[in-house]
Amino acid sequence: MFQELVNAPEVTVDAYIARSGHCIVRVPRVRDKVVAGESYKSHTVCLPAMDDLARRTIEALAREGLRGPLNVQIFHTTDPMLLEVNTRLGSAVVLSNVATGGRLLDAMLHEALCGTSEGDPSDYRVGLHLNRFLGDVFHAGTEVVAVKPQ
């Protein structure tokens, strides 16, 4: 089996399609550092070509009846390349929620309680960064022996 090597940044677009069938959240972010498939460093961006592909993909899925959270993964190549769509919340969706002032998770909760949410999908903060940290805690029973990094 052979697969094309794509050497390009990956952009994930976190989105939410409301029960009305309209996308009310669409936040593109670059995955700067990935560990075991999870984003450990990411930042929100405004990339019109990426956003256009994500918008068209989300609209097509909404026409087919998809509702709820999803993330669209795109390679940032000269012509943006759709990688995959996951119909779930990714772990770094917390960045998109903060970038929308909490509107993403608020909309999900509101709609889970039978409400209908609205919003402008392009209303988010550009240039917001997420940095997660990895570390180890060593202990003997309940005694902490070391924490790395400190």
Side-chain angles (χ1 to χ4, degrees), residues 17-38:
I17 302 172
R19 67 177 58 237
S20 65
H22 297 100
C23 178
I24 63 169
V25 171
R26 188 178 59 246
V27 180
R29 56 184 174 78
V30 174
R31 297 178 75 188
D32 300 307
K33 180 178 182 179
V34 178
V35 177
E38 301 287 324

Side-chain angles (χ1 to χ4, degrees), residues 12-82:
T12 291
V13 181
D14 294 314
Y16 185 74
I17 302 172
R19 67 177 58 237
S20 65
H22 297 100
C23 178
I24 63 169
V25 171
R26 188 178 59 246
V27 180
R29 56 184 174 78
V30 174
R31 297 178 75 188
D32 300 307
K33 180 178 182 179
V34 178
V35 177
E38 301 287 324
S39 292
Y40 272 76
K41 290 188 178 189
S42 188
H43 69 279
T44 59
V45 292
C46 178
L47 300 167
M50 304 293 123
D51 193 52
D52 183 57
L53 177 56
R55 179 190 53 76
R56 288 183 289 124
T57 302
I58 294 164
E59 287 174 354
L61 292 168
R63 280 192 303 273
E64 293 297 319
L66 181 67
R67 302 295 184 266
L70 68 150
N71 62 57
V72 179
Q73 294 179 316
I74 302 169
F75 282 133
H76 189 341
T77 50
T78 303
D79 291 321
M81 183 185 304
L82 182 64

